[in-house]
Amino acid sequence: MYMTQREILNAAKEQAGMTQKEFARYFGIPLRTVEGWFTEKREIPDYLLRLMLYRLEIEHKVSNLSQYVPFPEEK
């Protein structure tokens, strides 16, 4: 199954029980940047999305989302 970056971010935010503002604060990322990712006005680099999901997964805030972010050789 394919998920867009926006769908992955929304799933992560919802599974973690965060608002966009809380999500931005949790990662130390400016709110405007995060808002741009959620509205698809900005693209989040795959490596950063993978790192963010990894942190959320090891802290047991989300599960099984990193499988939807392809590695460069898989694109």
Side-chain angles (χ1 to χ4, degrees), residues 10-28:
N10 275 321
K13 179 178 68 72
E14 289 172 14
Q15 281 186 30
M18 296 180 190
T19 64
Q20 282 186 16
K21 188 175 185 177
E22 291 167 335
F23 193 84
R25 189 177 307 131
Y26 179 78
F27 288 106

Side-chain angles (χ1 to χ4, degrees), residues 8-9 14 23 32 35 42 46 49 53 56 58 60 62 64 66 74:
I8 295 167
L9 284 170
E14 289 172 14
F23 193 84
R32 291 273 190 209
E35 288 171 345
R42 301 182 88 160
D46 285 341
L49 182 55
L53 293 174
L56 289 167
I58 64 170
H60 305 288
V62 303
N64 299 320
S66 59
E74 296 173 355

Side-chain angles (χ1 to χ4, degrees), residues 24-40:
R25 189 177 307 131
Y26 179 78
F27 288 106
I29 298 169
L31 180 58
R32 291 273 190 209
T33 299
V34 171
E35 288 171 345
W37 293 341
F38 280 95
T39 59
E40 295 183 320

